[in-house]
Structure formats: C-alpha cells, structure tokens
Amino acid sequence: MKPISYARPHTVEQAVRTVTARPRTVFLAGGTTLVDMLRTGAMEPDNVVDITWLPLGGLEHTPGGGLRIGALATMSEVAAEAGVRERYPFLAVALEKGASPQLRNMATMGGNLMQRVRCAYFREPGNACNKRDPGSGCAAVDGMHRGHAILGTGPDCFATHPSDVAIPLVALDATVTVWGPRGERTIPFDEFFLLPGNTPQLEHPIAEDELITRIDVPALPFAKNSHYLKVRDRESYEFALTSAAVALNVADGTVVDVRIGLGGVGTKPWRARTAEGQLIGKAATAANFAAAAAAEMAAADASHPMNAFKVVLAQRTLVRALESVRPQVNPLGGAQ
Ligand code: SF4
C-alpha cells in the first residue's frame, strides 16, 4: 500500500477546505467501502480526510412529519430508532438487511450513498473497467455478470448499484444536502445517482470537494404500510439479486397511492414510476400488481446471459412485496 496522508478536521468548513487544497483527496467516514478499495488498489488517493469528528450525526423527526438524518448517523442507529420503525418500516428493514451487524455499526448513511459498485472487475485492478479506467472496456460483458443490472444499463457499464437503504429512500422522494466551497445545495434523491451513459466513472452530480451533510425524508403517512423484500443467494451478508421497497395506500380495494423502489436490478436505485402510474386507481389485485411489474420490466436489458433471469425474478419480487402490504380481505366482509 502506498503512503497516504491523513487529516482529522473538526468542522465541515475545515474538511472541505482541506479537500479543496489538496488534489487526489477523499473523505473517510465509517471506512467500510473505502478501506477495501485502498487495500485492493481500486482507489489510490494521496490524502484522506477523516470526517468522523464532524457534527453531522443524529436523526430528528421534523415538525412537518418528516425525518432529517445526519450524514454520519450509522445504519444501525437509524434502523433502531423507534419513530423510523413505526413510520417508515421499509427503511428500517432495508437497513437491517444490509451488510452485517459489525458493518452497520460502523457504516454511515452518507457513506452508504457514496459506496462503490461491487463488480469484481472494478475492484481488481488489471481488469478492463470503464468505471475505474475510462475507455479500457468492460470485462464483465464476457465475464461473470450474474449480479449485474438490467435497468439503466449502457454499453460502457452495467454494474448494479449496491445499496439497500437507497431503495426505500428513492421511493420516499428523499433529498440529499451537500456542502462545499460554493455553499450548500439540496439534490433530489433520484438525481443524486447518475446513469452510466458514456461516463460510468461519474456516479454522482457532486464535486470531489462537496460533502454530504444530511438526508431529508418528507412526511408520507402511508409509509407506515410499507415493506422491503430482498431476494439473495443467502439470507445474510449478501447483496440483493432483486429487491423491492413498497409503500401502499389502498381504500375500498383500490390503490390510492403507491411508492415503489427496486434494488439489485438498476445501475442506480430504481424508482419504478411506470409501475406506480399503472397501479394508481386500479384494484389492488395480484393480477394488477403483476401487470404493473411487467410494464416496469418492459425496458429491461436481457441481453446478457447470466443475469437475464432477473427480469422475471424482479417482477415476482415486486408482486410479492405488494401483496405483503395489501390489506387482507375479511371473509366476513370488509378489509382487515
Ligand atoms: Fe467496470 Fe462497469 Fe464493466 Fe464492471 S460492469 S467491469 S464496473 S465497466
């Protein structure tokens, strides 16, 4: 490992100033992604700025009924918070389904959004990878790509976005606030992640000297009726093959409102707007759930042999997730 300089500022302004002043500098929070990347040589910064002493932790419920999550709040802290569990259960479940307890105790919410893809060719220098080395090619096309994406793909890259918690957050229309030398700005969650296009090395619309300070989640009363379903090869410590974060509002058997995020299938956290649009105003039946899931997957890229199974698996995952939050029909009449 090559020598790397280390700084530990105590204010956001100092942290940003340090990154601005030194080229090839990255922020270090929980370290659960960055340290791996440094070890393999997939990232080679000259300097790291440890931000764990900055006052960016905590979580609060806002007067309007929303949630404000500090960038340095840990995954376990947010998952355990009583109000999150009651008002946004799919957020808590998605957090608990990610990584391992040890990692969740270290990993921060801001770091989770900035984590890099798990494509093995990206993480192992020596393989062609347009994301790590633009223009070098994509070793995954003719290599192992069982876990890769089927939505938002392009010829230059089809690595899957790995976060679980980003899936309910995109469904909730959360926002990400960043602070940098040009001041503060707030970015809608869906725009915080870029499709690979022909610049797969760019994953976010922020500059290297901008730091995530918080995530805001708007009020969504029907998110009380939500679920995160994750399908994976083993039940623990594994990334999603497919996942669905759903919140459903049904009245008299009709879908009044619905939010859907899909994971394991997109090059970014996938907001299933086609499926949502197709369900609103329709009867909350398994047949309509299946039709909406099929409509969402109509744009899926099934051209790669090892991951084409995800097109069907994602539809089944979404239908099952929606069925799990659909009000049960009372055989004596009415809904339970
Ligand atoms: Fe690199 Fe993306 Fe290809 Fe993986 S899928 S090797 S990250 S370009």
Side-chain angles (χ1 to χ4, degrees), residues 117 119 121-122 128-132 137-140 148 156-159 200:
V117 298
C119 175
Y121 306 104
F122 169 70
C129 175
N130 290 322
K131 188 181 281 294
R132 179 173 27 75
C138 174
H148 280 58
D156 286 351
C157 180
F158 64 123

Side-chain angles (χ1 to χ4, degrees), residues 143-167:
M144 296 294 292
H145 53 252
R146 183 167 178 273
H148 280 58
I150 53 172
L151 292 168
T153 61
D156 286 351
C157 180
F158 64 123
T160 310
H161 182 80
S163 171
D164 286 296
V165 70
I167 309 307

